Each structure stands twice: as structure tokens, then as C-alpha cells.
Amino acid sequence: MSKYRNGDKGVVFSVRARLSPSSPSGSSSSNIWLDPGTIHRFPFFCQMPMVNFPPPFQHSLFECKYTLVATVNDVYKSQPFLIDFEPCVETNPNAKIHTYTYTRDRIRFSLLSGLYYQLHKDTLIRIHIDKLTSSSFSTLIVALKQQIIIGYRQQPDPHVESTILSSVIINGSNSNNQQPSYDKKDGGVLVELPFPNGNDTGVNKLLPTVIGSCRFSVHYKILVSTKIRCGPIVINRKLFEIPITVGTLPHGTSVSPDLRSYADENVLQDMTTCTKPRLSISSVERTTDILPAYDAKRPPIYYPRIPA
């Protein structure tokens, strides 16, 4: 983390490990200089602790990123390799998705997909609006708002920034086929409010809901507002805001009770591998109960291999 006015870079952890083999004498403290032109491989693995670190985030005032840097012969230093890390954030405490309904000024607003959404899996918010044509509103606006609060701990004047990620404009008398699309259904309107593309960056990137960070927080709300025509004057009026949660865990999956926040005082003061990542040399003879990372496109390789 960086870009704070007081010079605090906010490093949550910085770990190093020597992956070079031991010297011929058996002492691991001696440096072994590598010959150029020869391929050298140093397998290793990184074991993350039971700590919820903040997600990668980039802003003009604040950024959070995770990098991996390799140094060879204390001379050559590689370019930082960015690591994509996701914290464990509960999505829905119940496996079943419930419909939530709100009524305001002769409009019934139903969230068919509920108040909880899973990052990278849920792509849109389904909303059903009843009695739209019988109301006095000329225009109804439904939007997904992202609110980011940047501030160091108990900073008296945090920076608050709100961004509309997607929106739908519906005319009370004539619902046309704008993007995102919506269709008439049962005398009402069915709205599909999409989440932003996963390739977006910066403030338009869909981040998980962050509430436990001591430096920034991320919140999401569904904003419903109207435009009322009073003669030649059009008045904008906000009906209500509905807070929603964007988590990383599947619906019905709970966070482990051993999981702690990186902002806890005990985690900040603990310099052991219990609260910091641990880099270790990988070996096929290793007997610890650690499995390799799973890639959906390519299954992991386990040792020893079982003959076909």
C-alpha cells in the first residue's frame, strides 16, 4: 500500500526466502554463484496465513498491490510480478436466495436475485418493478452505485467517492429497448442490471465488499430515483437506496472462525509466519499436508504419479 501524505506506505507484510541450494560443504549460508547460459529451476510454494488481507486496488489517492520479486546473485533483480489476491468475504449466509421487496409511492420494487452476490459468478441483478405505468413518474432510474471511502484508521476527513457502475432508465409511459435491456412482464417491468466487466480496472473494477480494512472500505448500493415533471420543470428525486453485499465465497459458505483481519492489533504486532505468508522450497519428498494451487484449465500434478 502506498500514496499516503504522511509517507506511510502501509506495508502489511514483506517476507523473503533464500531458495538457492546449500553449498557443497553443507552450509546454507554460503552463496552459490550461478553460471550464465544455464537453466536453473528453484521450485517453491507460498503458504498464506489465516488472515484476510485487503484486495488489490488502484486509485489516484491510494493503491494496494501484491508483488513477487526474484533476485539472482544479489545483482540481477526481476521486474515485480503482480499477484491477484482475493480475501474471504461471505456472500450469503443461507444457500437459498430470497427475494426482497420494497414499496414506495405506488411502486413495488422486487429484487429477484436477493441482496447478496458472488464475485466473478453473478453477472447481473434481476429486478421486477410493478405499477410503473400507473404512477405519476415520467422517468425511473435504477443504478448500481459503488462507494469507496479512503482514510487512514480514524482520519477525521476521509475521502468518499461514489461511482455509478451501471444504470437503467425507464420511461413511465413507454419502456423502450435501451441497454441494459428490460422487458414488460405481468404489467410491470423486468430489469437486468449488469455488473461491470471483470477486465475493468481502477474505480470501475468490481471489488468485493470491504468493511474490515483500516485504510479503505468498499460498499455497494442499488439506487432508485425518479424524474417528476411539474409543468415545464423536471425534479430529480431519490426514492431509496438498498445496500447489497458482493462476496467471494459461494452462497451458504461461512468464513472460518480462525480467519482474522489484517487490521487486528494482534496481527499487526505478530511478525511470525502465523500471520505472514511463508515462502518455502518445494520438494517432491515433502511430507507436509499441502496441495498445489488448483487451476481450472489444468488439473494439478500430484507426486508420486500413479501409473495409468
Side-chain angles (χ1 to χ4, degrees):
M1 300 181 183
S2 61
K3 296 187 179 180
Y4 267 106
R5 297 178 182 178
N6 58 4
D8 175 26
K9 293 185 177 182
V11 178
V12 293
F13 63 81
S14 179
V15 294
R16 297 181 181 181
R18 183 184 295 272
L19 303 181
S20 61
S22 59
S23 61
S25 60
S27 174
S28 59
S29 60
S30 301
N31 293 331
I32 297 180
W33 292 86
L34 305 178
D35 296 330
T38 304
I39 298 179
H40 301 272
R41 299 182 183 273
F42 301 98
F44 71 97
F45 68 93
C46 178
Q47 182 177 0
M48 298 297 292
M50 292 295 292
V51 176
N52 239 6
F53 295 110
F57 172 66
Q58 185 175 0
H59 190 271
S60 59
L61 300 177
F62 174 82
E63 66 178 4
C64 176
K65 62 182 179 181
Y66 301 90
T67 58
L68 183 66
V69 179
T71 303
V72 180
N73 289 343
D74 295 332
V75 176
Y76 175 77
K77 188 176 182 179
S78 68
Q79 294 294 328
F81 180 78
L82 296 178
I83 305 296
D84 190 11
F85 173 80
E86 281 189 359
C88 294
V89 181
E90 285 189 0
T91 299
N92 188 354
N94 302 316
K96 183 178 180 181
I97 299 177
H98 298 277
T99 301
Y100 291 84
T101 302
Y102 303 83
T103 303
R104 180 74 180 273
D105 294 348
R106 294 183 296 173
I107 287 186
R108 186 169 60 188
F109 187 87
S110 300
L111 280 170
L112 303 181
S113 50
L115 299 177
Y116 305 92
Y117 300 87
Q118 184 180 354
L119 191 68
H120 305 314
K121 184 175 181 180
D122 296 326
T123 59
L124 52 86
I125 303 173
R126 300 181 69 249
I127 304 168
H128 188 261
I129 305 173
D130 292 325
K131 299 182 180 179
L132 178 64
T133 56
S134 61
S135 65
S136 59
F137 304 138
S138 60
T139 302
L140 185 69
I141 303 173
V142 183
L144 174 62
K145 182 174 71 172
Q146 180 190 64
Q147 186 180 60
I148 298 176
I149 302 176
I150 300 176
Y152 182 74
R153 295 187 180 275
Q154 303 298 328
Q155 186 177 350
D157 54 343
H159 174 79
V160 181
E161 182 170 324
S162 299
T163 305
I164 300 298
L165 301 181
S166 60
S167 62
V168 174
I169 301 177
I170 307 171
N171 295 326
S173 58
N174 183 18
S175 298
N176 50 25
N177 292 325
Q178 301 181 22
Q179 294 293 331
S181 62
Y182 50 87
D183 301 319
K184 292 184 177 180
K185 179 182 179 182
D186 300 332
V189 175
L190 180 62
V191 177
E192 294 184 349
L193 191 64
F195 286 111
N197 194 309
N199 296 327
D200 293 338
T201 58
V203 295
N204 293 327
K205 180 181 179 181
L206 188 64
L207 299 168
T209 299
V210 178
I211 58 176
S213 175
C214 60
R215 290 179 172 85
F216 78 104
S217 59
V218 181
H219 306 271
Y220 293 94
K221 295 180 180 179
I222 298 178
L223 174 63
V224 181
S225 59
T226 64
K227 289 184 178 181
I228 305 176
R229 179 173 295 278
C230 301
I233 302 176
V234 178
I235 302 175
N236 294 328
R237 178 188 176 191
K238 183 176 69 174
L239 291 180
F240 48 81
E241 289 183 341
I242 306 173
I244 63 173
T245 300
V246 178
T248 58
L249 299 180
H251 293 266
T253 303
S254 301
V255 175
S256 172
D258 298 330
L259 185 66
R260 293 181 290 176
S261 173
Y262 83 100
D264 293 345
E265 289 297 332
N266 294 334
V267 176
L268 295 176
Q269 298 175 3
D270 189 356
M271 294 293 106
T272 65
T273 55
C274 295
T275 59
K276 303 297 183 290
R278 182 169 63 93
L279 297 172
S280 300
I281 299 177
S282 177
S283 174
V284 296
E285 292 83 10
R286 175 174 87 241
T287 59
T288 56
D289 187 16
I290 298 177
L291 296 179
Y294 185 80
D295 187 353
K297 297 181 180 179
R298 183 178 58 184
I301 298 177
Y302 300 97
Y303 296 96
R305 292 191 178 186
I306 301 177

